[in-house]
């Protein structure tokens, strides 16, 4: 039942579907040891210093946070070696993506993105009444020439999740530079680097693009590598002229006290954070090795998840995994996205997956 005159864009839209929580699977399938590998979270609890900083900040939550998160901008700027006028902090990088849509997208504008990609792009496009221009992936990766060809004078935003979610593939910064050369400089190119820390470093750092291209926005997240998904924090790096507009449309105080404290502590102790990232990447290599040894074909992963192109079997394999207490993210008709978890979790899901697949091919 809809009440009041709901905007058609909202009424007709399916909302964002988050990955299933472990306790949800336990109830659905009457089991008690479910694991969640459906949302690309970091499997490890936060480091002790972050928990301490959060506890300390909790004592001050009767006050609003610093709306501009000045200390956090400075800390991020310092660690990136970028002036803090080029940085803003958001309520998750999803919050920053919403700010980009609020800043640039009117009804009838075009938003362009390779697809399949992050499901927030179609959702925001729909909400803002924009026309989605989806450029098909080639071999699970981006075809940036096709992206350039699809640009029109109505294109406002190009969304490039790099590495891409759900396929885990990435493009080089050089190839993004080429795209920028070949399109109008009033089209904003968003490089969504939610998985930056897991990416192949030889592909380059898109921050270097800012010197020659004022229309690039890089968004990054504290949710994945930094393991702060629960506090909702991300940052954007862009020309100060873009940052200034983005700051106007942020929901006031949406980066809360606890999030700000957690970010500051994480940056201060980022060596410990990055050590865990390296462990996860070693696990990723081990998982890929086991899958390939088991005859599974998959693209090289550049994030903290693997993508297995299971095609038409995706929904039913996903369901079989869920029944065994393993929450994965199926993209029906396309493939399964499975987060790299702890070594025990990885052993369990790889074993389950290989068993399911071999039973099918018999
Ligand atoms: C997880 C994810 C995000 C959102 O991260 P938050 O910072 O938690 O909002 C953004 N983009 C992509 C591609 C993601 O997979």
């Amino acid at each position: 039942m809809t009440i009041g005159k709901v905007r058609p864009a909202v009424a007709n839209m399916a909302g964002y579907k988050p990955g299933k929580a472990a306790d949800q699977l336990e109830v659905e399938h009457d089991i008690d040891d479910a694991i969640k590998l459906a949302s690309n979270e970091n499997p490890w609890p936060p480091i002790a210093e972050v928990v301490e900083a959060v506890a300390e900040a909790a004592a001050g939550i009767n006050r609003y946070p610093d709306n501009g998160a000045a200390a956090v901008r400075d800390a991020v700027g310092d660690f990136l070696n970028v002036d803090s006028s080029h940085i803003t902090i958001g309520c998750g990088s999803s919050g920053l993506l919403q700010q980009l849509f609020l800043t640039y997208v009117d009804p009838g504008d075009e938003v362009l993105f390779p697809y399949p990609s992050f499901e927030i792009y179609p959702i925001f496009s729909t909400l803002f009444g924009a026309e989605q221009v989806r450029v098909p992936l080639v071999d699970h990766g981006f075809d940036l020439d096709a992206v350039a060809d699809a640009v029109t004078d109505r294109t406002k935003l190009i969304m490039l999740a790099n590495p891409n979610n759900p396929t885990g593939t990435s493009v080089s910064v050089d190839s993004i530079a080429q795209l920028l050369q070949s399109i109008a400089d009033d089209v904003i190119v968003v490089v969504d680097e939610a998985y930056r820390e897991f990416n192949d470093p030889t592909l380059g750092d898109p921050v270097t693009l800012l010197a020659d291209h004022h229309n690039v926005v890089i968004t990054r997240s504290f949710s994945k590598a930094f393991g702060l998904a629960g506090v909702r924090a991300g940052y954007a790096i862009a020309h100060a002229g873009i940052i200034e507009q983005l700051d106007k449309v942020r929901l006031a105080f949406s980066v809360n006290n606890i999030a700000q404290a957690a970010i500051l502590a994480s940056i201060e102790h980022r060596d410990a954070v990055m050590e865990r990232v390296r462990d996860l990447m070693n696990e990723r290599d081990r998982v890929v090795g086991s899958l390939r040894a088991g005859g599974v074909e998959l693209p090289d992963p550049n994030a903290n998840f693997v993508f297995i192109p299971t095609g038409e079997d995706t929904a039913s394999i996903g369901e079989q995994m869920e029944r065994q207490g393993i929450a994965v993210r199926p993209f029906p008709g396309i493939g399964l996205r499975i987060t790299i978890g702890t070594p025990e979790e990885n052993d369990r899901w790889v074993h389950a997956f290989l068993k399911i697949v071999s039973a099918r091919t018999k």
Side-chain angles (χ1 to χ4, degrees), residues 49-50 53-58 72 256-266:
E49 289 87 345
V50 170
V54 163
E56 208 173 293
V72 178
N256 65 58
N257 291 329
I258 295 204
Q260 293 192 32
I263 302 171
L264 289 173
S266 298

Side-chain angles (χ1 to χ4, degrees), residues 140 307-317 330-336:
H140 312 298
F307 174 75
I308 310 177
T310 39
E312 294 308 317
D313 295 333
T314 300
S316 75
I317 296 177
F331 292 80
I334 301 169
L336 288 174

